[in-house]
Amino acid sequence: MSLVGTRIKPFTAQAYRDGNFVTVSDSDVIGKWAVFFFYPADFTFVCPTELEDLADNSQTFREMDVEIYSVSTDTHFSHAAWHDTSPAIGKIDFTMIGDPAGVITNNFDVMREGQGLADRGTFVVDPDGVIQLIEITSEGVGRNAMELLRKVKAAQYIAAHPGEVCPAKWEEGDTTLAPSLDLVGKI
């Protein structure tokens, strides 16, 4: 069953952000757009390239009123150590959630059975806490922050413009579509 269109489940977790340990819960997500960016583990190979790419674009997400939460089944202590020792991870200025019990990872249905690790899963959540977009990739396929930005912009656009949809390769400012009988068979 797809989680698109469902509300995020309750959680409370410890996280690392801006040199501090903080508590994060589902109630912190309500009221703004959010990206939950799951990855398998700290101190690995593809993960730091993805997180660095996200960090390099985090200001643009913030300007769009989007909060980023990276999540792995590591602890918040591991996140702090990784942040302090890796030049790529040291760029991160968003919240790094530790989920060693797997509550959040299981809530979003990205736990690898029998491994205790998360799949590479990206979830865009609207200000009401409803999941609007899901992307899951295999172990060796890294994600692209620019493509995620494009998708978030599209999700925000259609939320603000009911009755319109964004076609393939839509970029901010491009023409949208208004689904109607007039378009059937003409695209």
Side-chain angles (χ1 to χ4, degrees):
M1 180 177 93
S2 175
L3 295 176
V4 170
T6 66
R7 189 171 174 81
I8 61 170
K9 295 178 182 176
F11 72 87
T12 300
Q14 294 302 303
Y16 178 77
R17 180 179 60 225
D18 296 327
N20 298 298
F21 294 127
V22 297
T23 301
V24 179
S25 73
D26 54 297
S27 63
D28 295 315
V29 177
I30 305 305
K32 62 171 43 177
W33 287 83
V35 169
F36 283 83
F37 197 84
F38 290 86
Y39 63 96
D42 292 353
F43 298 99
T44 56
F45 315 103
V46 176
C47 301
T49 66
E50 294 181 308
L51 292 169
E52 180 180 28
D53 184 36
L54 205 53
D56 289 343
N57 291 281
S58 65
Q59 181 60 37
T60 304
F61 281 99
R62 265 193 303 286
E63 289 167 1
M64 295 167 50
D65 201 26
V66 177
E67 188 75 29
I68 298 171
Y69 300 95
S70 64
V71 186
S72 77
T73 56
D74 299 288
T75 67
H76 57 296
F77 298 113
S78 179
H79 293 336
W82 196 26
H83 189 275
D84 291 346
T85 58
S86 167
I89 301 307
K91 294 178 177 183
I92 292 175
D93 59 358
F94 48 80
T95 304
M96 301 177 75
I97 298 175
D99 187 30
V103 172
I104 306 166
T105 306
N106 280 308
N107 282 356
F108 282 84
D109 200 26
V110 289
M111 180 68 82
R112 294 181 188 169
E113 191 168 332
Q115 294 184 32
L117 301 173
D119 279 325
R120 293 188 195 291
T122 308
F123 298 79
V124 174
V125 178
D126 72 18
D128 294 322
V130 176
I131 298 169
Q132 295 297 323
L133 183 142
I134 298 173
E135 178 185 30
I136 311 271
T137 65
S138 66
E139 175 64 26
V141 179
R143 294 161 283 181
N144 181 321
M146 294 305 293
E147 175 60 8
L148 177 58
L149 274 167
R150 186 193 73 78
K151 290 176 182 179
V152 171
K153 287 177 183 179
Q156 288 180 331
Y157 183 91
I158 63 169
H161 300 88
E164 294 183 46
V165 295
C166 297
K169 298 194 243 179
W170 179 88
E171 295 286 344
E172 189 172 30
D174 286 354
T175 302
T176 59
L177 300 172
S180 71
L181 189 56
D182 296 341
L183 291 180
V184 174
K186 295 186 174 94
I187 295 177

